Amino acid sequence: EDQVTQSPEALRLQEGESSSLNCSYTVSGLRGLFWYRQDPGKGPEFLFTLYSAGEEKEKERLKATLTKKESFLHITAPKPEDSATYLCAARGETSGSRLTFGEGTQLTVNP
Amino acid sequence: DARVTQTPRDKVTEMGQEVTMRCQPILGHNTVFWYRQTMMQGLELLAYFRNRAPLDDSGMPKDRFSAEMPDATLATLKIQPSEPRDSAVYFCASGLYQIGGRSNEQFFGPGTRLTVL
């Protein structure tokens, strides 16, 4: 059974204080590792897909990286508008199109 | 700006009543997903369709939930009868699956917040 675990559950940062969110996954034959951002009262918003260990993707202050067991979402010099819940999901070779989501990390960036 | 749309955005109903939620996927997407999100369980996949055919509904309570795609522009999720434990936010997502392609991104709608009293 595919499993995805995110840590920490919640993270408070000061504006400009860089940090990383962790996503550990146990998936048979990874076919994609996905990051989403979810704001209160809204649906998850797609950020990145990573497919193989060593791959990296960037978008503004966010950079996602992937190893064989984990993915990290690095946030550089965050701003208050980066406050949101960040969700990680994985798709395995036996999952069809099913994604297994982690519980999310709730990020708060204080001005 | 292509988006998944869902109606209604909020629904409050009495236990035992029928609830129908609707979703319009992004034009051209061939795969539609229904999720449920609660504080306790997080995001759970209920069912998904490809080219309007159900591929996986293993996450859905079969006795009271049903999902259909009457046409390529409409997906419905129905609960009958509804129970208080069904209270949650229900999301629809869509994506484009291509044989041999890598892209598996799912794009989510704004959700329907369901409260069953």
Side-chain angles (χ1 to χ4, degrees):
Chain A
E1 183 180 333
D2 297 344
Q3 289 189 325
V4 175
T5 304
Q6 293 187 245
S7 62
E9 289 186 16
L11 181 63
R12 286 186 173 271
L13 300 174
Q14 289 299 122
E15 185 172 2
E17 180 186 2
S18 302
S19 189
S20 296
L21 312 182
N22 177 265
C23 171
S24 297
Y25 63 91
T26 303
V27 169
S28 176
L30 184 71
R31 290 292 181 266
L33 189 291
F34 305 83
W35 283 98
Y36 287 83
R37 168 190 171 131
Q38 186 173 23
D39 292 291
K42 297 190 175 182
E45 174 190 347
F46 172 74
L47 293 173
F48 304 109
T49 310
L50 302 167
Y51 290 101
S52 54
E55 189 174 359
E56 298 182 354
K57 288 195 176 172
E58 287 188 66
K59 179 179 179 180
E60 295 181 354
R61 295 175 293 281
L62 301 177
K63 183 168 81 172
T65 61
L66 182 66
T67 73
K68 289 187 177 180
K69 294 183 178 180
E70 296 175 302
S71 179
F72 294 92
L73 186 65
H74 307 278
I75 303 176
T76 302
K79 298 182 178 182
E81 53 261 42
D82 294 321
S83 297
T85 295
Y86 291 85
L87 296 166
C88 168
R91 174 178 173 260
E93 63 183 357
T94 60
S95 306
S97 291
R98 171 185 290 270
L99 298 184
T100 299
F101 279 85
E103 297 296 317
T105 293
Q106 186 173 0
L107 174 66
T108 303
V109 182
N110 296 314
Chain B
D1 186 23
R3 294 174 187 240
V4 175
T5 58
Q6 291 185 247
T7 57
R9 293 296 312 277
D10 280 281
K11 176 72 176 179
V12 180
T13 191
E14 300 280 337
M15 182 173 64
Q17 296 297 306
E18 178 178 298
V19 175
T20 298
M21 291 169 269
R22 294 176 173 79
C23 166
Q24 182 172 13
I26 293 172
L27 187 65
H29 281 185
N30 59 4
T31 309
V32 175
F33 305 82
W34 283 106
Y35 287 90
R36 175 169 62 185
Q37 187 175 44
T38 62
M39 290 295 291
M40 295 299 294
Q41 300 292 332
L43 260 175
E44 302 174 276
L45 179 68
L46 298 174
Y48 75 93
F49 294 75
R50 177 155 299 130
N51 298 320
R52 296 175 56 199
L55 283 195
D56 186 349
D57 61 1
S58 59
M60 202 164 65
K62 305 289 194 306
D63 56 338
R64 299 183 298 107
F65 284 59
S66 61
E68 296 180 342
M69 279 202 73
D71 61 62
T73 64
L74 177 65
T76 62
L77 179 66
K78 190 175 294 186
I79 307 174
Q80 167 63 20
S82 57
E83 298 180 1
R85 60 179 167 153
D86 301 328
S87 297
V89 181
Y90 290 81
F91 288 106
C92 174
S94 73
L96 178 62
Y97 172 80
Q98 296 174 302
I99 295 174
R102 295 181 87 187
S103 178
N104 294 293
E105 293 86 5
Q106 298 179 18
F107 298 89
F108 284 74
T112 295
R113 181 176 299 276
L114 174 65
T115 304
V116 183
L117 302 174

